[in-house]
Amino acid sequence: MSEHFLVTGGNRLEGEVLVGGAKNSVLKLMAAALLAEGTTVVTNCPDILDVPLMADVLRGLGCEVELEDSEVRITTPAEPKYHADFDAVKQFRASVCVLGPLVARCRRAVVALPGGDAIGSRPLDMHQSGLRLLGARSEIEHGCVVAEADDLHGANIRLVFPSVGATENILMAAVLARGETVIDNAAREPEIVDLCNMLNEMGAKVSGGGSSTLTIQGVRKLEPTTHRVIGDRIVAATWGVAASMTRGDVRVRGVNHKHLGLVLDKLRTAGAEVTPEVDGFRVIQRERPKAVNFATLPYPGFPTDLQPMAIGLAAVAEGTSMITENVFESRFRFVEEMIRLGADARTDGHHAVIRGVPVLSSAPVWSSDIRAGAGLVLAGLVADGTTEVHDIFHIDRGYPRFVENLRGLGGVIERVGTE
Ligand code: UD1
């Protein structure tokens, strides 16, 4: 039985919403637990499907994993297994982040390739070339990425693009390599800083987190730690954009507003009053939002994960917006679904031009990934009538208590099953 959402538009979102730990951080922190024998505890874990899926990947590698409330306890054996098979990894791409820790710990890793993705091709060439520079051999064999190293040593690595996943895998391999590694053009996302902090708590010697140059002095051994995941800036911003689109008044808590500097500036350009707060921010939008141009870029640029929400905002804004996608080639595929909802949108390559309409028109639509799904729900909130959003398992992978949170803000949404 699959489920879908029924979203009825017209309500202004008002109230307060608490955001949990970041999906794009917690999965990597769980993988980092492989680096130390013993029990690592990760707190402030979000209640999303990817967390138990990652727990299964780690169990397949010989770890014991207990999930309770917002805490995950991972007990890593002295000798973890090094083979993450297809059944374990097929359901989500982030599982590839066990590659670096396994090479570091076992000197060997075989990780099945998770396959295609709706947002565009996601090669691992930078992950592999970084590991090769650290002294590993790495090939794609029989549907798996294989990496082996007799001796893992420090190296100077310059990434051709600041890939989040490649930075993380290379970093997690380098912490247990002999000597110094420098990663240039490293990703600067707050989730990378979170990972650097946790690794340092485990005894690693990583400096430069949050800058383009990471320097890692390899150590022989790491110890388990207890670490709290940072708040999810993408979920937080989703609620912020929803407030702006519905001309609402929403206070978002549980996130560092500094992680959303550019995003909050864009909401201001759209006419919202945005107030940073100690534990989050507040967005009040009184008039119809104004058109805003967006170009997605690696952090601190505008996040590609918020591009569908930006399109939703542009779809009902006054004026014409230009949106440029610079990170994932196929991320505009979902614009077809927005057009089904009455958006006046055209795409050409990695540009989209959107002329705002006062109100969208409800229709059945299909989510193709986590963020596209959330963007479609937001569009449903400003459409007349009731929009059916299908394939919502995507949304459940990234948004904890999505229906409860949206209802708490006055949104009209129902989860229903379909045979
Ligand atoms: C992570 C996030 C994802 C976010 C993305 C960009 C997780 C679980 N996912 O994905 O939500 O949208 O960062 O902020 O954290 N690339 C290559 N070769 C490589 C690696 C990447 O060509 O070896 C390309 C990709 O195809 C893509 C671009 O680099 O076009 C960015 O990818 P990357 O930053 O690696 O994203 P992910 O880590 O997969």
Side-chain angles (χ1 to χ4, degrees):
M1 186 161 100
S2 67
E3 295 176 315
H4 63 270
F5 288 147
L6 294 178
V7 185
T8 304
N11 276 18
R12 183 170 187 258
L13 295 193
E14 275 180 313
E16 187 173 294
V17 60
L18 179 65
V19 165
K23 169 180 106 56
N24 286 353
S25 211
V26 67
L27 304 173
K28 325 305 171 61
L29 304 181
M30 289 173 73
L34 285 166
L35 289 164
E37 183 186 347
T39 303
T40 292
V41 183
V42 182
T43 65
N44 196 33
C45 290
D47 181 14
I48 51 171
L49 215 52
D50 275 13
V51 169
L53 290 177
M54 188 67 189
D56 282 344
V57 171
L58 294 177
R59 286 188 189 109
L61 295 169
C63 300
E64 280 171 34
V65 188
E66 291 165 56
L67 295 167
E68 207 173 310
D69 297 324
S70 59
E71 198 172 287
V72 50
R73 299 173 69 83
I74 303 157
T75 304
T76 301
E79 289 181 21
K81 296 178 193 153
Y82 60 81
H83 190 159
D85 66 20
F86 185 69
D87 277 344
V89 308
K90 68 180 172 200
Q91 303 197 60
F92 73 126
R93 260 205 76 86
S95 49
V96 82
C97 65
V98 299
L99 182 66
L102 288 179
V103 179
R105 223 18 236 300
C106 312
R107 296 297 193 247
R108 196 152 189 224
V110 180
V111 180
L113 291 168
D117 199 302
I119 63 176
S121 79
R122 295 176 89 168
L124 295 175
D125 53 320
M126 282 187 254
H127 302 237
Q128 287 184 286
S129 54
L131 294 178
R132 285 188 194 118
L133 286 166
L134 294 175
R137 295 172 295 282
S138 181
E139 302 298 335
I140 305 291
E141 286 172 13
H142 312 297
C144 298
V145 52
V146 178
E148 285 173 313
D150 305 323
D151 174 36
L152 217 51
H153 53 74
N156 288 328
I157 300 169
R158 184 186 302 276
L159 298 179
V160 292
F161 182 90
S163 152
V164 172
T167 302
E168 290 163 342
N169 262 329
I170 298 166
L171 167 65
M172 288 195 273
V175 287
L176 289 180
R178 188 170 46 78
E180 180 179 278
T181 298
V182 177
I183 309 176
D184 260 326
N185 200 20
R188 292 183 278 166
E189 270 67 3
E191 294 76 21
I192 301 272
V193 179
D194 204 18
L195 177 60
C196 291
N197 289 342
M198 172 162 160
L199 293 171
N200 284 338
E201 287 153 26
M202 294 170 82
K205 293 196 162 50
V206 182
S207 61
S211 79
S212 299
T213 306
L214 290 177
T215 305
I216 303 128
Q217 307 290 342
V219 297
R220 289 177 64 85
K221 195 167 176 270
L222 295 179
E223 299 296 334
T225 188
T226 294
H227 183 85
R228 182 180 167 85
V229 187
I230 57 165
D232 196 312
R233 66 195 164 100
I234 304 298
V235 173
T238 301
W239 300 127
V241 176
S244 175
M245 286 172 71
T246 62
R247 299 179 215 183
D249 176 357
V250 173
R251 175 172 264 143
V252 184
R253 289 180 41 236
V255 71
N256 183 343
H257 65 82
K258 291 188 184 137
H259 295 164
L260 284 165
L262 185 61
V263 176
L264 299 181
D265 279 349
K266 289 283 177 185
L267 291 181
R268 289 187 185 101
T269 309
E273 284 166 34
V274 182
T275 323
E277 298 187 342
V278 182
D279 186 30
F281 58 89
R282 181 175 179 184
V283 176
I284 306 174
Q285 179 93 35
R286 299 182 201 278
E287 310 286 337
R288 181 176 171 194
K290 293 199 244 343
V292 187
N293 295 334
F294 296 91
T296 68
L297 283 170
Y299 190 86
F302 189 84
T304 174
D305 285 348
L306 288 174
Q307 183 247 92
M309 296 66 173
I311 294 209
L313 180 64
V316 289
E318 199 175 338
T320 301
S321 307
M322 164 89 94
I323 300 189
T324 306
E325 172 57 57
N326 291 309
V327 182
F328 286 112
E329 59 197 23
S330 307
R331 208 154 206 176
F332 278 147
R333 276 192 207 151
F334 101 106
V335 172
E336 291 302 318
E337 301 299 300
M338 292 294 285
I339 291 172
R340 207 200 287 267
L341 288 170
D344 182 351
R346 270 163 203 237
T347 59
D348 185 2
H350 63 131
H351 299 293
V353 176
I354 317 234
R355 270 194 296 199
V357 295
V359 66
L360 295 172
S361 167
S362 57
V365 287
W366 276 261
S367 315
S368 48
D369 70 88
I370 303 174
R371 311 301 171 190
L376 291 169
V377 171
L378 264 48
L381 294 173
V382 288
D384 63 1
T386 299
T387 293
E388 280 174 28
V389 181
H390 293 273
D391 290 345
I392 58 171
F393 57 91
H394 288 297
I395 303 176
D396 291 332
R397 284 191 38 215
Y399 288 84
R401 299 170 49 78
F402 189 70
V403 168
E404 292 82 352
N405 282 326
L406 193 43
R407 280 197 184 148
L409 295 172
V412 181
I413 180 168
E414 203 182 326
R415 181 190 288 268
V416 289
T418 41
E419 295 295 337

